[in-house]
Amino acid sequence: MKMCLYCAEVSVGDREILYGSSHLGVRCRTRQNGRSRLRFQRVLDDSGQPMLRWELKFMLDQVYLASEDGPSSQPFGARIAKWCTYLLVAFPIVDYTLRLSFIHPIGSIWDKVVLLLLAVVAFNRVLRGHRPPAFGWSKYAGWYILYLVALFFAGLGSPGVAFDGFRADIYYMLFGLLMPFVIEPRDAKKYLYAAATVAILIGVHGVVQYLLAPPIPPGWVDVGEHVRTRVFSVLKSPNELGAYMEMMTPIVFGLCLGERNRARRIVYALGGICCLLTLLLTYTRGAWMGLGIALVLVAIAYERRLLIVIVVLGVIGFFLPPIHHRIMDLFSPVYYIKSSQGGRLIRWQTAFDQMAGNPLFGVGLGRYGGAVASDHGFSIYSDNYYAKILGESGLVGLVLFLAMHVRIVVEIINQTVRKATARDRYLALGGLIGVTALLVHDVVENVFEYAPNFLNYFLMLSLLLLWGRTLERQEEKHE
């Protein structure tokens, strides 16, 4: 018996079996006189009875697992894919470093090079027969991308604006779509560990930055508000850092609660505390709101003990004057007056007005609510990513965009949270909280306009879903 390195293929004698290529059975390639002939047939067990699909998959999984440690078990481009993924996991630090003045040209292209390398690896593996199941949300992403392609051609009167808007909407999504083809499910948890390590480093840096109290622009503080400083670390903005921390903090604590090694558990616990402190010290109300709502939703649905965490964080916020002031300011009449004159409320109203001229298709890619529209003088930021989608791509675009993200959340619940047991459940719930928090935060800010957060969102959910596939394998082994 021999194992194919790229497509979970088993060969017995002159017969090669590829599981899952047909609902009628399996795809078999038989060599005759030096030639390969491809056909579909059912597989029989030792007693001559047709083998069930799950039995066949279990058999192939055993062979696959048995070959994992062998020197020849690495698929094409494994090292390239591994280091490219580590670079993406460390995106905030890598991008900040490469965008320093003396190496800025590299900083502007490095992620494009990484995407190209991953695409080459994925394409080569597909040609060699490696066709793992794509994510369920990829179909919804495909419809959304197809719609944006149509809007791009409709906006060719201003091709530069249309292309920039198209790229901003789908570029980082491509990394997530490639992940099943370049990462083995068994490696997904290693990248989650690496992502937690990066988040801890940034969290520690945020706490140190608060102690050093660097000067910040006056626009980062409301009129009449007094804060020592707002931390921003390597993400250049407290709002960006807050969004990053609201997603990564639950994952770090999930790894802490799921860790059996005492030393590592202590490291994750201290790191999680630093991440939480950094999140608070950004003074980003949208991030606080996103994490709070996500905690409440997940606690009610899956883990009531999380409500204790919410109460503790609420008490902390009530007794710390800067945080208390930032929250209570939302309920003051002055805030609503300012917001209605030049803040979020008027920007959301503008999004509706923009869409009203063409309700189905909006004003066109790159023409409202985001960085591209701001750079070309069409509009300021909408401070609501969903309003931005509505304004530039209309009701059709918003429905397709929401359908994709609803599918993402449902898939994480079905493929990871519901399969995770014992200590694994903490990491699964932490990932679900992080994904939900970022989607909630998008209601009051253009979180997905920030490259580190848009990429990190698709990267983390992809790793969670791939890790969920290993949980499925463990279930089948147990059965």
Side-chain angles (χ1 to χ4, degrees):
M1 181 174 289
K2 184 175 66 175
M3 184 72 187
C4 175
L5 306 183
Y6 302 100
C7 54
E9 178 181 289
V10 176
S11 64
V12 184
D14 63 352
R15 174 177 295 175
E16 297 177 348
I17 304 172
L18 289 80
Y19 166 71
S21 299
S22 169
H23 289 291
L24 300 176
V26 293
R27 187 170 60 173
C28 297
R29 184 185 294 112
T30 304
R31 291 192 179 92
Q32 292 181 348
N33 300 324
R35 296 183 179 180
S36 293
R37 187 174 63 187
L38 194 64
R39 71 181 188 276
F40 290 95
Q41 71 174 44
R42 305 176 75 183
V43 179
L44 305 181
D45 59 19
D46 293 337
S47 64
Q49 297 299 316
M51 186 177 289
L52 299 176
R53 284 175 62 85
W54 71 266
E55 291 176 331
L56 177 62
K57 183 176 186 299
F58 181 78
M59 178 190 73
L60 299 181
D61 285 347
Q62 299 308 304
V63 179
Y64 185 77
L65 288 171
S67 66
E68 282 182 354
D69 298 328
S72 62
S73 64
Q74 295 295 323
F76 172 82
R79 290 187 178 181
I80 295 175
K82 178 179 74 172
W83 290 111
C84 283
T85 306
Y86 278 128
L87 285 174
L88 295 177
V89 163
F91 186 94
I93 296 175
V94 174
D95 194 64
Y96 175 82
T97 304
L98 294 181
R99 288 183 183 273
L100 297 176
S101 58
F102 60 95
I103 50 176
H104 187 272
I106 300 176
S108 61
I109 65 169
W110 77 272
D111 55 321
K112 285 81 173 174
V113 174
V114 168
L115 179 63
L116 179 61
L117 290 174
L118 291 177
V120 169
V121 171
F123 183 67
N124 189 288
R125 291 186 183 183
V126 169
L127 289 181
R128 292 169 179 260
H130 178 58
R131 295 180 177 85
F135 296 132
W137 64 268
S138 61
K139 178 175 65 175
Y140 295 81
W143 285 110
Y144 180 61
I145 293 172
L146 185 62
Y147 173 69
L148 294 185
V149 169
L151 287 185
F152 167 73
F153 283 108
L156 284 182
S158 302
V161 176
F163 177 76
D164 288 345
F166 176 77
R167 180 184 60 186
D169 286 344
I170 66 101
Y171 175 64
Y172 292 106
M173 192 187 306
L174 301 178
F175 289 93
L177 293 173
L178 283 174
M179 287 298 108
F181 300 94
V182 296
I183 293 180
E184 296 296 330
R186 67 181 184 274
D187 296 327
K189 201 168 186 180
K190 292 192 301 186
Y191 297 118
L192 289 171
Y193 285 132
T197 302
V198 172
I200 289 172
L201 291 175
I202 295 175
V204 171
H205 182 247
V207 174
V208 172
Q209 191 177 61
Y210 182 78
L211 296 176
L212 297 176
I216 59 175
W220 286 7
V221 181
D222 291 340
V223 177
E225 184 180 14
H226 300 283
V227 297
R228 191 168 184 270
T229 188
R230 292 183 67 184
V231 299
F232 50 91
S233 189
V234 296
L235 282 92
K236 304 178 185 178
S237 160
N239 292 339
E240 292 188 46
L241 179 59
Y244 179 79
M245 283 301 166
E246 74 180 310
M247 181 164 197
M248 296 307 302
T249 301
I251 292 177
V252 173
F253 277 117
L255 288 171
C256 171
L257 295 173
E259 183 58 60
R260 288 180 170 84
N261 182 278
R262 183 178 180 182
R264 286 197 293 267
R265 192 185 309 126
I266 293 174
V267 170
Y268 285 130
L270 295 176
I273 292 172
C274 287
C275 290
L276 183 58
L277 286 174
T278 294
L279 172 60
L280 295 175
L281 296 174
T282 63
Y283 293 103
T284 303
R285 289 174 294 210
W288 299 346
M289 180 194 73
L291 182 58
I293 292 177
L295 276 169
V296 170
L297 293 176
V298 174
I300 293 174
Y302 296 103
E303 186 58 72
R304 300 293 173 87
R305 287 176 293 183
L306 286 175
L307 294 173
I308 300 174
V309 177
I310 299 170
V311 172
V312 171
L313 293 178
V315 170
I316 292 174
F318 184 82
F319 286 103
L320 290 179
I323 297 176
H324 178 79
H325 176 77
R326 289 282 290 177
I327 295 175
M328 296 308 296
D329 187 50
L330 294 173
F331 302 98
S332 68
V334 176
Y335 176 83
Y336 283 98
I337 293 173
K338 292 191 300 181
S339 186
S340 300
Q341 292 175 345
R344 284 184 170 89
L345 294 180
I346 190 64
R347 296 184 187 193
W348 299 349
Q349 178 64 42
T350 304
F352 182 82
D353 294 339
Q354 290 284 333
M355 178 272 299
N358 191 348
L360 289 179
F361 308 117
V363 296
L365 294 179
R367 291 181 171 271
Y368 178 75
V372 177
S374 178
D375 292 342
H376 288 85
F378 290 112
S379 80
I380 59 177
Y381 281 82
S382 61
D383 279 348
N384 181 326
Y385 196 78
Y386 305 108
K388 180 252 187 189
I389 296 295
L390 177 66
E392 73 172 7
S393 58
L395 290 171
V396 175
L398 181 61
V399 168
L400 291 174
F401 182 79
L402 290 175
M404 177 179 67
H405 291 286
V406 168
R407 175 60 189 177
I408 285 171
V409 173
V410 171
E411 191 170 359
I412 291 175
I413 291 172
N414 291 335
Q415 301 300 322
T416 304
V417 173
R418 290 182 176 173
K419 292 177 181 176
T421 58
R423 292 177 179 266
D424 288 335
R425 186 173 175 82
Y426 298 115
L427 175 56
L429 291 177
L432 178 61
I433 291 170
V435 168
T436 306
L438 220 59
L439 293 176
V440 173
H441 191 176
D442 262 320
V443 174
V444 295
E445 196 166 351
N446 289 37
V447 174
F448 286 165
E449 288 284 336
Y450 307 143
N453 288 309
F454 203 13
L455 172 64
N456 194 58
Y457 172 80
F458 282 105
L459 187 60
M460 290 300 105
L461 70 88
S462 298
L463 293 175
L464 288 167
L465 290 173
L466 288 172
W467 174 57
R469 294 180 182 180
T470 67
L471 301 177
E472 179 181 17
R473 177 176 292 166
Q474 291 168 3
E475 265 186 9
E476 290 171 353
K477 281 183 177 181
H478 180 71
E479 291 174 0

